Amino acid sequence: MENIVIIGSGHMGAGIAAIFIAAGHDVVVLGRQLPAVEARLPAVRALAANLPSSGVTGQISAGLVDSWNEWSGVGLVIETIPEQLAAKQALFAELDHRVPAHIPIGSNSSGYGIDQMAAGLQTTDRMLNVHYSMPAHIVPMVEVALGAHTRPPLAEAVCRLIEATGKKTTLIKKYIPGLLISRLQHALMREALSLLDQGIVTPQAIDDAVRFGFGFRYAAIGPMAQKEMSGWDTHVVSGAAVYPSLSNIDAPPACVTELVKQGRTGMNQGAGFERWTPAEVAEFKRKYELRLRAAFEVLGVAPDDGPP
């Protein structure tokens, strides 16, 4: 088993580390403050213990990103630091000359392409976006996106490594803002927030329409396959009527920007469109994880050819 290096010990780093440990890889988590990284390791082990495993669990250790240099046996490096472009550029410049050139280096960012983060560096042919969705230890899909100089065979090898941990990968041949998952989500959210801004529906109505309407079937079948089943002729007819009225705003509308100005950014601040107590947040997140795990089981029912 190749060793895996994760840079950053936040929620994403911890979840990704847990996935590889459960699959039998030894993982090193690197950060700027060793005590803080070491304090996170029990949480990573706990996540890994709740994941499907072949019975062989990898080891986890901590190190300092500035000085750790034990690259022998490392098969992949994944950066998961906060979404600050300057910080990512500085880190990739450091990794460019410290990490042996045969080792792939990925960024978990979906907001920045590898060409932005690694502009002008010498070994960009082994760098790429490797984006896990939160919570990383549960959501099956991982997006792998090539930069302008990324070697396709290297990206394909990274996909195989990730798929061996039980994940599903999609290979994006060229970076696009938001990659694929966030981009599709933003298309939906643009329409949802526009309807909300006009006072046509409530936040709860939007959630119900997605969860109990079209979203209900998406764990069983994706939108393209669903239209193959229902017929593209029907879509063309209905689309001709609906497309002209869809939102084409190029910035989030006032209903959400005003919330942000007021500091009502969601559960983390106790209020968004709704108000949240700490107990309500904890209970909501508990139910959310239970539902995600149930949905994950659905993906294993009558699977397609390849990993679920």
Side-chain angles (χ1 to χ4, degrees), residues 148-216:
H149 305 291
T150 310
R151 287 181 281 120
L154 177 138
E156 292 163 3
V158 169
C159 287
R160 290 193 294 271
L161 174 62
I162 292 170
E163 288 175 350
T165 69
K167 294 294 186 181
K168 178 83 171 176
T169 64
T170 184
L171 186 60
I172 302 170
K173 298 176 183 179
K174 175 185 176 182
Y175 177 79
I176 47 177
L179 299 178
L180 183 57
I181 294 174
S182 289
R183 196 176 182 89
L184 292 173
Q185 287 180 148
H186 275 291
L188 185 152
M189 288 305 298
R190 176 165 67 175
E191 181 63 24
L193 290 173
S194 179
L195 294 173
L196 195 64
D197 199 54
Q198 297 173 64
I200 296 174
V201 292
T202 65
Q204 187 63 56
I206 291 168
D207 283 351
D208 288 348
V210 174
R211 287 188 60 210
F212 301 104
F214 65 88
F216 174 75

Side-chain angles (χ1 to χ4, degrees), residues 250-266:
D250 58 8
C255 67
V256 68
T257 56
E258 287 302 315
L259 280 182
V260 173
K261 288 178 182 177
Q262 296 167 23
R264 297 178 59 175
T265 58

Side-chain angles (χ1 to χ4, degrees), residues 287-307:
K287 289 182 177 179
Y288 176 53
E289 183 155 330
L290 283 175
R291 291 168 181 166
L292 285 178
R293 291 186 181 279
F296 185 83
E297 294 300 320
V298 170
L299 296 179
V301 176
D304 299 326
D305 297 334

